[in-house]
Amino acid sequence: MVVTAQLVKELRTATGAGMLDCKKALEETNGNIDEAIKWLREKGITKAAKKSDRIAAEGLVGMAMKGNKVVVFEVNSETDFVAQNQQFLTLLDQIGATLVNSNVSAVEEALQLDVNGQTLDALITNAIATIGEKITLRRFTILEINDNQSIGTYVHSNKRIVAALLFDGVISEEAGKQLAMHVSAMRPQFVSREEMSQDFLASEKAILTAEAKNDPKNAGKPDNILEKMVEGRLNKQLAEISLLDQAFVINPDQKVSDFLKANNVSVKKMIRYEVGEGIEKEQVDFAQEVMAQVRK
């Protein structure tokens, strides 16, 4: 029997389970809704699915290293209390070990990885059923260190912020950690201005231009003066979000670019994860995506 979108929608409404789980259940039960509900219950999915609409914006970040690979990742829960639960901490370690032993690049792929005979997705689902809160693997990045490369990492003591920098060139462990600490504290959005797109630069300039023109203190000023003011403010703003332009947090009299030059390295990749950042927007985007699929 062909599993239709309408059947998936009906099963999802009845159980709260995810669309992929509903589709799988219907395929396994030849499209029988009642049997599909039973199948989901037997798999322990519906118990976890009841929590699927909650927002999991707490949790912890993690980092795992093996050989020439490093993975940084974020696992979310609904409350910070559960994030300190020993079972959650064990799950965090299992996820890190699974990811660092893989070559996947997307969460969907990662959830299908084998963990002692079951998928990572099933492992997380079982943890949800036991712990009683929604838990999600939100994101991860795997960095591989080639010859003449090195890495700097830092996980904040509360495990809510992790930073990793991949360098071209060899830097000491301490210096690499200091730079990762800087990224954690100063939140640069880009490694350098060269990474900023023309659309981003144009948008930022347009915002500053509008602000300048709407400021009563600038009334009557010639356009060329306003243009110089905007350029000055834009340069200052870009310097604040560009890693290479920032004052080094360990030595504010020195720019990060100068510290890197002194250590004969350059930054190839920068990762910074903070628990929960941007999660509300992701929830809105996901809801819109689900509705679009249901309407098909």
Side-chain angles (χ1 to χ4, degrees):
M1 178 180 178
V2 176
V3 175
T4 65
Q6 182 59 35
L7 278 174
V8 173
K9 180 182 177 182
E10 288 179 20
L11 184 57
R12 179 173 167 79
T13 301
T15 64
M19 286 182 292
L20 292 178
D21 287 326
C22 288
K23 185 174 183 293
K24 176 67 173 175
L26 289 164
E27 288 173 344
E28 293 291 326
T29 58
N30 199 31
N32 186 302
I33 291 285
D34 292 334
E35 289 297 319
I37 292 173
K38 181 180 177 182
W39 187 91
L40 288 168
R41 290 183 62 191
E42 289 173 349
K43 299 294 182 182
I45 294 173
T46 52
K47 184 176 181 180
K50 291 176 183 177
K51 302 168 181 65
S52 63
D53 291 332
R54 300 180 187 173
I55 295 178
E58 294 295 335
L60 298 173
V61 294
M63 182 183 68
M65 306 179 72
K66 184 177 181 181
N68 68 333
K69 292 172 69 174
V70 175
V71 60
V72 292
F73 58 100
E74 178 183 353
V75 179
N76 294 130
S77 61
E78 294 178 53
T79 64
D80 56 357
F81 176 78
V82 162
Q84 303 306 317
N85 177 289
Q86 186 55 52
Q87 186 177 353
F88 185 89
L89 295 173
T90 299
L91 177 66
L92 195 77
D93 290 341
Q94 289 176 305
I95 290 173
T98 303
L99 291 173
V100 81
N101 281 300
S102 76
N103 292 304
V104 294
S105 59
V107 170
E108 293 75 13
E109 295 177 277
L111 292 175
Q112 300 309 310
L113 292 170
D114 179 78
V115 185
N116 299 323
Q118 64 179 328
T119 64
L120 182 58
D121 191 27
L123 183 72
I124 294 172
T125 298
N126 291 336
I128 294 171
T130 304
I131 295 174
E133 281 196 8
K134 180 180 179 181
I135 299 170
T136 58
L137 170 60
R138 182 187 179 196
R139 53 183 171 169
F140 68 90
T141 299
I142 298 175
L143 299 174
E144 293 196 49
I145 308 165
N146 299 323
D147 293 340
N148 198 39
Q149 288 186 327
S150 52
I151 198 161
T153 61
Y154 173 73
V155 181
H156 194 57
S157 58
N158 62 6
K159 291 188 177 181
R160 292 183 63 87
I161 302 175
V162 62
L165 291 164
L166 179 63
F167 303 103
D168 279 332
V170 180
I171 195 169
S172 72
E173 183 178 346
E174 181 60 24
K177 180 180 179 180
Q178 288 178 342
L179 284 163
M181 289 175 68
H182 172 96
V183 169
S184 297
M186 302 308 293
R187 304 168 182 260
Q189 296 178 39
F190 304 92
V191 172
S192 67
R193 299 193 192 193
E194 284 68 31
E195 285 189 351
M196 303 176 191
S197 70
Q198 290 303 310
D199 287 344
F200 174 81
L201 294 173
S203 174
E204 293 301 303
K205 184 175 181 179
I207 292 170
L208 292 174
T209 300
E211 288 177 353
K213 288 183 176 180
N214 292 328
D215 188 340
K217 292 185 293 185
N218 296 329
K221 289 183 179 178
D223 287 344
N224 64 322
I225 299 298
L226 288 177
E227 178 71 16
K228 289 181 179 179
M229 288 175 56
V230 168
E231 288 294 337
R233 290 176 183 175
L234 181 62
N235 282 328
K236 180 181 178 182
Q237 183 170 302
L238 297 182
E240 290 173 352
I241 61 175
S242 165
L243 174 64
L244 299 187
D245 289 326
Q246 290 179 337
F248 189 28
V249 72
I250 305 297
N251 178 12
D253 293 329
Q254 182 182 39
K255 280 189 177 182
V256 170
S257 57
D258 295 328
F259 184 77
L260 289 165
K261 186 175 180 180
N263 282 273
N264 297 310
V265 296
S266 59
V267 178
K268 183 174 180 62
K269 192 162 187 177
M270 174 180 71
I271 306 295
R272 183 188 185 278
Y273 287 168
E274 183 169 354
V275 170
E277 59 184 352
I279 222 162
E280 290 184 3
K281 180 181 184 302
E282 287 183 5
Q283 289 288 332
V284 172
D285 291 344
F286 177 72
Q288 291 174 342
E289 178 184 338
V290 169
M291 291 305 295
Q293 292 187 36
V294 168
R295 291 192 185 105
K296 287 182 179 178

